[in-house]
Amino acid sequence: MQLRPSELVLNADKSIYHLNLRPEDIGHTIITVGDPDRVGAVSKFFDTVELKKGKREFHTHTGTLNGKRLSVVSTGIGTDNIDIVFNELDALVNIDFDTRSPKEEKTVLDIVRIGTSGSIRSDIPIDSFLMSEYAMGFDGLLHFYDSEHVQETDISKAFVAHADWSPNKSVPYVVKYDKNLGDRLMSNRIRLGTTVTNIGFYGPQSRVLRLQLSDPDLQAKLDSFEHKGIHITNLEMETSGIYGLSKLLGHRAVSMNCILANRATGAFSTEPTKSVENLIQYTLEKLTTG
């Protein structure tokens, strides 16, 4: 099957359209960050940096650490950007750009999100690290793909009933992390949790400035949800898309969250840059040693 130019969009130099990358530009272990400025905050710990490219909000550095080739890519905010980044990362390793055809032998990427998040539970400390065992997406992205086989539908159905979910909103979907990759990153410093991925920062996360909410009780419903021992722990804006597309495309993905805000107590980290840097160093060490 040859992909049409309108489907597989390439630049004049045969780089993929948004990321501006060629297949040889990336390693098979990839760290994603939201903020383009955080790309350098990760790559500064590399032993070597061989490539720096950027286009729009998508910046990439590729190099080595402890003999392992890594890439760090900024995604920007939201699962709409995740849809771009993950489809294009997959295309870089699993589509032949010369023939414009999918390769018969597929490459599996290890992808780790290093990002910030807010806890909804008072017992999760500020500046602590949380790995998303499950991601619950309020964003609707996965419903545009044939995806029910990668979803944990029992959890989403239980939440819809618990929250009296409005039919005017996208039906939440739930996807689990890759346990093998997660086990490589696990230690007693890491807490497992269930992460809600929101479609916005203010109203969708129950923040009120001047606009009133359609469901003022949503945060309380999130906090009180329980299904077979599963509790919702934190909120952010990318993980459900990362887990969903990774599962569909055959890649391994884990989301590492630095808890900067506690919505239950109203507290926010006094040293957010240092806390995120600590998570970066922790993740790089786990990925490249042992």
Side-chain angles (χ1 to χ4, degrees):
M1 177 184 67
Q2 188 176 63
L3 298 167
R4 295 178 296 173
S6 61
E7 310 306 298
L8 175 65
V9 184
L10 301 178
N11 298 312
D13 64 351
K14 284 196 172 180
S15 61
I16 196 75
Y17 184 59
H18 296 91
L19 297 185
N20 196 36
L21 297 172
R22 292 170 57 85
E24 63 269 22
D25 290 340
I26 62 167
H28 292 171
T29 298
I30 295 175
I31 294 166
T32 67
V33 295
D35 184 354
D37 290 338
R38 199 172 290 154
V39 173
V42 175
S43 67
K44 73 179 183 180
F45 294 108
F46 291 2
D47 295 326
T48 65
V49 177
E50 67 188 67
L51 174 136
K52 293 183 178 182
K53 282 189 175 180
K55 182 180 178 183
R56 305 185 189 187
E57 61 265 56
F58 309 116
H59 292 202
T60 300
H61 292 181
T62 295
T64 60
L65 177 61
N66 298 323
K68 190 178 188 71
R69 193 165 185 252
L70 305 163
S71 293
V72 53
V73 181
S74 62
T75 64
I77 298 173
T79 57
D80 50 348
N81 277 5
I82 294 300
D83 184 61
I84 292 171
V85 172
F86 275 64
N87 275 291
E88 294 195 359
L89 286 174
D90 179 76
L92 287 167
V93 295
N94 288 321
I95 295 176
D96 186 317
F97 285 5
D98 292 323
T99 65
R100 307 184 68 87
S101 300
K103 297 177 181 178
E104 288 189 14
E105 186 174 339
K106 299 299 188 292
T107 295
V108 177
L109 299 173
D110 286 335
I111 305 172
V112 180
R113 171 190 177 267
I114 298 178
T116 59
S117 182
S119 167
I120 65 166
R121 305 187 68 84
S122 60
D123 63 334
I124 300 180
I126 294 293
D127 302 316
S128 64
F129 303 156
L130 184 145
M131 183 188 298
S132 304
E133 182 177 13
Y134 295 94
M136 180 181 292
F138 290 174
D139 54 283
L141 172 63
L142 224 59
H143 297 313
F144 288 89
Y145 296 96
D146 180 8
S147 63
E148 191 165 339
H149 60 288
V150 303
Q151 296 183 39
E152 307 287 335
T153 55
D154 62 319
I155 302 174
S156 57
K157 288 178 180 177
F159 177 77
V160 166
H162 170 80
D164 191 21
W165 195 251
S166 169
N168 294 325
K169 298 175 182 175
S170 176
V171 177
Y173 62 90
V174 179
V175 186
K176 194 172 184 179
Y177 75 154
D178 184 89
K179 188 176 187 305
N180 289 332
L181 182 56
D183 286 348
R184 284 171 52 193
L185 297 168
M186 181 54 70
S187 77
N188 58 12
R189 295 182 65 184
I190 305 297
R191 175 176 184 150
L192 283 176
T194 297
T195 299
V196 164
T197 295
N198 297 87
I199 199 168
F201 183 78
Y202 289 97
Q205 295 189 39
S206 298
R207 287 184 172 93
V208 176
L209 299 183
R210 294 202 314 117
L211 298 177
Q212 298 306 304
L213 304 175
S214 63
D215 184 358
D217 299 323
L218 178 58
Q219 188 162 317
K221 293 173 181 177
L222 295 175
D223 184 57
S224 61
F225 176 69
E226 188 276 333
H227 177 70
K228 297 181 179 178
I230 295 169
H231 298 267
I232 293 170
T233 52
N234 62 307
L235 312 175
E236 52 74 78
M237 294 181 64
E238 289 88 35
T239 298
S240 63
I242 290 171
Y243 283 8
L245 292 184
S246 293
K247 290 270 189 183
L248 291 175
L249 292 165
H251 302 301
R252 295 182 284 260
V254 164
S255 179
M256 303 289 284
N257 302 272
C258 184
I259 302 298
L260 295 186
N262 190 300
R263 301 295 300 284
T265 65
F268 193 86
S269 174
T270 59
E271 297 183 297
T273 301
K274 180 180 177 181
S275 295
V276 172
E277 185 169 280
N278 287 341
L279 179 57
I280 290 169
Q281 290 182 280
Y282 172 90
T283 304
L284 288 174
E285 180 179 358
K286 287 288 188 180
L287 284 174
T288 64
T289 60

